[in-house]
Amino acid sequence: MGFTVQDMLDMKLFQKANLLWGKGGIGQEIRGVTIIESPDIVRFISGGEVLLTGLNAFQSCSPEEFRSYIAELAKKKVSALVIKQGRTVDFMEEKMAVIQEYAQKTETPVVEIPFEMPFREILNTIMEHIFSEEVIRLKYFKTTHDNFTALSLSFHSMENGVQRIVDILSKLIGNPVALFDQNLECQATTDTRICEFEIQPDAKEYSLDFYSNYKYRRQEITLEEKPEEKIGQYLVRLNVMYNARMYLVVTETEHPVNGMDFIAVENAVTALKQELFRQSSLADLEKKFQSDIMNNILNGKVHSIQELRRDSSLLGISMDAFYRIIAFNLGYGSNRVDLNDTVKYTNILNNAIAIEFPNVKIQNDMDRVIVIQEVDPARKQEEYRHELKEIVMKIQKRVASAKKDLKVRAGVGRMIEGIEHIPSSFKEATDSLMFIDILGDKNEDSQSKIMIFSDMGIFKLLCQLSDEKEMMEYVPESLQKLYHYKKQQRQDLILTLKTYLEHNQNLTKTAQDLYIHYKTAAYRIERISQITGIDFDNPNEVLSVRIGLVVCKMMENLKK
């Protein structure tokens, strides 16, 4: 056992310290020491550290936010928490109560020190006791780092360096190594026995005894030739470009993996990420070439039949087949997302579509994903509709696994014959997306939505409008009064009206959909009636209000 919490408390420096809670954990080994200057430090904690804090880093945290932070801290299994009080911190009593609960539950020692004791002195003293054990590891880290760096720099532009990196790592650690993509398809392996992989339900997080940027798991597997013998397997998750995941897998067929091996793994992972980035950049160049061709076809920018034949040949699609365009995008609910998040989530959507929609052409278009799908003209519309709903629900499931509040929406153009008519189906698909929030069908998963252009009826006429003054002619005066209502409740009232009409004026369903009380929904509808004078018993007026809501949504989209 190395330097423990008890050893720390026995030091002269801690003579005036007071062990508040967590006495049962004083035998824990200390593997690091960190001063908490920001709550975000929890992301960089690997476990086994002594954390030093005056709690002023949490000055702006509410008790609920602080409890959430401590819950994340509990997963890291730190060795001890050293606190000094003296500065004014909001909700100090509540926060100390949270720390007490955490200490007693996890048996993590919480030590209070005098305010005048400098953290820097504590940090330096602890480091002096644990650093000597790290010297060999630091030297080995540099050696492996230099080797993998040199290997990465030696790759030619078209060479796939992934297999070479995996081979070198396997030689360094003396065990088989394999790399799998996010669909658990093998991309490289040093042992044919390890070309299939699955994450076991009982796979446990594995903490290294040094700082790591990566997450490890450990599970036990059996090989076909020795089904009675369980062997250890370590997996490291790599986050590569556009939130794609890969897994580096080390299997203990020869001997147990030790700390020095993990240092080699760390450097191999860094080298793999660099190589995967290089490969992705090359693939992006090829995609951009195809994307430019698709963009020209979708927007009718191909000016001759010869150019059309060339482009269709480069894309690998037929000139005369039947096609349908589907435009996908994501709904974010009430969450705001910046440009970086939009790009990330759109790529997640693209990947999900590519998995569930084989043999289609896919293009990212800003915050949309456009699909050119070849279809069978003899197939009934209802059959196609059912199949599409099933596929969209599968796409929704995949997208939600990355971020649960993302909602998949699909606008579908009509079937056309010949790629020269693709622009008309593309416009219909994008028009369908514009109306999807008001007219779209919710799938059985209650998350994703579909809007097929041919189902839009009279609303197809509205797609031809682009002038705001013309659009306002379709918004009844009663609804205009609501949109011009200056008070804070306007948006709630507009949303309630839209939901109320979607549910055929059923207050119970309206309240359930909006997660509000029945009486609140009833009050809002009554307030809407007072402001607008809408007669909900008049079907013609209700229809005009529904059309007006659609037009208002169109104007919002145009302004965006």
Side-chain angles (χ1 to χ4, degrees):
M1 178 65 72
F3 187 67
T4 67
V5 177
Q6 180 66 68
D7 295 331
M8 178 187 76
L9 295 175
D10 289 340
M11 292 191 303
K12 184 177 180 181
L13 186 62
F14 278 80
Q15 282 183 348
K16 296 182 180 180
N18 180 26
L19 179 62
L20 298 178
W21 309 291
K23 185 176 181 181
I26 61 174
Q28 295 184 98
E29 182 178 359
I30 298 172
R31 295 195 295 271
V33 56
T34 301
I35 300 175
I36 300 178
E37 298 288 359
S38 164
D40 287 339
I41 194 67
V42 72
R43 296 163 52 194
F44 306 100
I45 293 170
S46 58
E49 294 95 338
V50 171
L51 303 184
L52 312 176
T53 179
L55 292 183
N56 51 301
F58 307 99
Q59 169 64 35
S60 60
C61 292
S62 67
E64 292 74 23
E65 290 170 334
F66 185 74
R67 182 177 291 277
S68 175
Y69 169 81
I70 293 297
E72 287 298 313
L73 188 63
K75 299 175 184 177
K76 301 289 185 169
K77 299 181 180 178
V78 299
S79 293
L81 192 62
V82 176
I83 296 173
K84 60 179 176 182
Q85 301 187 50
R87 294 182 180 174
T88 302
V89 176
D90 292 342
F91 309 106
M92 175 61 88
E93 291 184 5
E94 291 92 332
K95 291 173 181 176
M96 288 300 292
V98 172
I99 292 175
Q100 180 180 1
E101 179 184 342
Y102 153 71
Q104 293 173 340
K105 184 177 180 180
T106 62
E107 289 195 333
T108 301
V110 175
V111 181
E112 185 180 27
I113 60 173
F115 180 78
E116 63 273 10
M117 186 183 294
F119 279 150
R120 183 66 58 190
E121 187 176 348
I122 298 173
L123 185 139
N124 290 338
T125 303
I126 293 176
M127 281 185 169
E128 288 175 3
H129 284 79
I130 63 175
F131 249 25
S132 58
E133 300 177 7
E134 299 294 319
V135 173
I136 296 176
R137 291 182 178 182
L138 289 171
K139 288 184 177 180
Y140 185 67
F141 181 91
K142 186 178 187 308
T143 300
T144 54
H145 171 78
D146 290 347
N147 274 292
F148 281 116
T149 300
L151 182 65
S152 298
L153 293 174
S154 69
F155 296 144
H156 301 297
S157 60
M158 300 307 293
E159 183 180 2
N160 183 348
V162 169
Q163 185 65 53
R164 286 186 65 191
I165 294 171
V166 168
D167 288 340
I168 293 295
L169 176 60
S170 180
K171 290 177 181 177
L172 286 171
I173 66 176
N175 274 310
V177 178
L179 183 71
F180 297 83
D181 64 18
Q182 61 186 5
N183 302 315
L184 305 187
E185 296 287 337
C186 186
Q187 302 300 305
T189 185
T190 62
D191 189 328
T192 55
R193 296 174 298 173
I194 318 294
C195 56
E196 292 185 1
F197 165 69
E198 63 178 354
I199 301 176
Q200 306 289 349
D202 59 350
K204 296 179 181 178
E205 287 191 12
Y206 185 84
S207 299
L208 305 184
D209 57 357
F210 57 83
Y211 172 77
S212 172
N213 286 315
Y214 311 110
K215 290 184 177 180
Y216 288 75
R217 286 189 179 183
R218 187 184 189 280
Q219 60 188 22
E220 292 187 340
I221 65 164
T222 57
L223 296 178
E224 189 173 341
E225 66 270 21
K226 293 183 179 179
E228 74 288 347
E229 181 183 343
K230 288 194 173 184
I231 57 176
Q233 190 174 67
Y234 295 87
L235 42 149
V236 193
R237 172 174 161 172
L238 291 70
N239 289 324
V240 290
M241 291 184 68
Y242 308 128
N243 209 40
R245 299 186 306 273
M246 300 197 82
Y247 298 93
L248 183 67
V249 177
V250 177
T251 308
E252 295 177 320
T253 60
E254 306 304 320
H255 59 80
V257 178
N258 60 37
M260 302 292 280
D261 294 334
F262 284 120
I263 291 175
V265 171
E266 289 277 303
N267 284 291
V269 170
T270 302
L272 281 169
K273 290 185 70 173
Q274 292 172 345
E275 172 60 11
L276 291 167
F277 178 85
R278 185 182 71 86
Q279 291 183 18
S280 179
S281 298
L282 291 173
D284 281 348
L285 287 174
E286 185 177 348
K287 282 182 181 178
K288 186 179 184 308
F289 176 69
Q290 291 205 353
S291 177
D292 289 343
I293 294 175
M294 275 189 67
N295 184 64
N296 289 339
I297 291 175
L298 289 167
N299 292 284
K301 294 181 179 179
V302 182
H303 303 298
S304 67
I305 193 67
Q306 291 81 8
E307 189 178 348
L308 201 59
R309 285 198 180 97
R310 183 202 67 189
D311 288 351
S312 64
S313 175
L314 290 170
L315 278 182
I317 61 177
S318 170
M319 280 276 293
D320 304 317
F322 289 81
Y323 296 100
R324 193 187 297 270
I325 305 301
I326 309 170
F328 289 88
N329 71 1
L330 292 169
Y332 301 102
S334 59
N335 297 322
R336 291 186 178 182
V337 293
D338 60 21
L339 180 60
N340 289 332
D341 283 340
T342 300
V343 171
K344 179 176 74 173
Y345 298 143
T346 303
N347 278 293
I348 291 173
L349 175 61
N350 184 306
N351 292 336
I353 292 170
I355 294 169
E356 298 298 343
F357 253 129
N359 305 319
V360 298
K361 298 300 176 183
I362 304 172
Q363 179 196 29
N364 279 19
D365 180 29
M366 300 295 287
D367 61 342
R368 302 177 301 187
V369 178
I370 310 302
V371 170
I372 300 178
Q373 182 189 24
E374 186 173 340
V375 293
D376 180 1
R379 197 171 190 193
K380 293 180 179 178
Q381 174 84 343
E382 196 52 42
E383 291 179 1
Y384 176 79
R385 187 195 313 274
H386 177 74
E387 178 188 68
L388 183 61
K389 284 186 175 183
E390 292 290 327
I391 292 174
V392 170
M393 283 193 289
K394 290 178 181 178
I395 294 171
Q396 172 67 47
K397 187 175 180 181
R398 289 186 179 277
V399 167
S401 68
K403 186 171 175 58
K404 65 179 180 180
D405 52 355
L406 297 177
K407 302 182 188 303
V408 176
R409 295 117 58 88
V412 187
R414 284 179 292 194
M415 180 180 65
I416 51 88
E417 182 179 5
I419 65 170
E420 68 271 21
H421 298 123
I422 277 178
S424 63
S425 185
F426 174 51
K427 184 180 185 304
E428 292 169 356
T430 54
D431 286 342
S432 300
L433 271 185
M434 185 180 293
F435 288 86
I436 199 166
D437 285 332
I438 294 179
L439 304 176
D441 283 340
K442 270 192 176 181
N443 274 342
E444 294 174 13
D445 58 14
S446 76
Q447 302 295 314
S448 56
K449 281 185 177 181
I450 293 178
M451 182 75 253
I452 298 178
F453 186 80
S454 57
D455 293 342
M456 287 173 55
I458 191 173
F459 292 103
K460 296 176 190 174
L461 299 174
L462 298 178
C463 296
Q464 302 173 25
L465 301 177
S466 58
D467 182 79
E468 189 170 335
K469 289 184 179 179
E470 287 183 347
M471 289 182 175
M472 285 303 295
E473 294 294 325
Y474 291 87
V475 182
E477 290 184 11
S478 57
L479 185 58
Q480 290 186 38
K481 290 178 183 179
L482 187 59
Y483 273 88
H484 293 147
Y485 188 58
K486 299 295 184 184
K487 295 191 177 179
Q488 189 176 359
Q489 301 89 348
R490 179 179 62 181
Q491 291 302 323
D492 288 339
L493 295 177
I494 293 172
L495 179 59
T496 302
L497 174 61
K498 173 180 170 293
T499 308
Y500 183 60
L501 296 180
E502 284 179 351
H503 289 297
N504 297 318
Q505 303 181 47
N506 185 311
L507 274 174
T508 300
K509 290 183 178 179
T510 300
Q512 290 173 348
D513 200 355
L514 296 175
Y515 299 100
I516 59 177
H517 194 277
Y518 177 89
K519 290 184 178 179
T520 302
Y523 167 77
R524 288 183 184 177
I525 295 300
E526 178 62 29
R527 190 79 187 99
I528 291 168
S529 297
Q530 293 171 359
I531 296 168
T532 64
I534 295 173
D535 181 3
F536 289 104
D537 293 326
N538 184 331
N540 289 330
E541 184 170 5
V542 169
L543 177 60
S544 69
V545 170
R546 289 201 69 185
I547 293 173
L549 285 168
V550 175
V551 174
C552 288
K553 183 66 177 178
M554 288 177 62
M555 290 191 290
E556 286 179 19
N557 291 342
L558 286 174
K559 288 177 181 176
K560 290 179 182 177

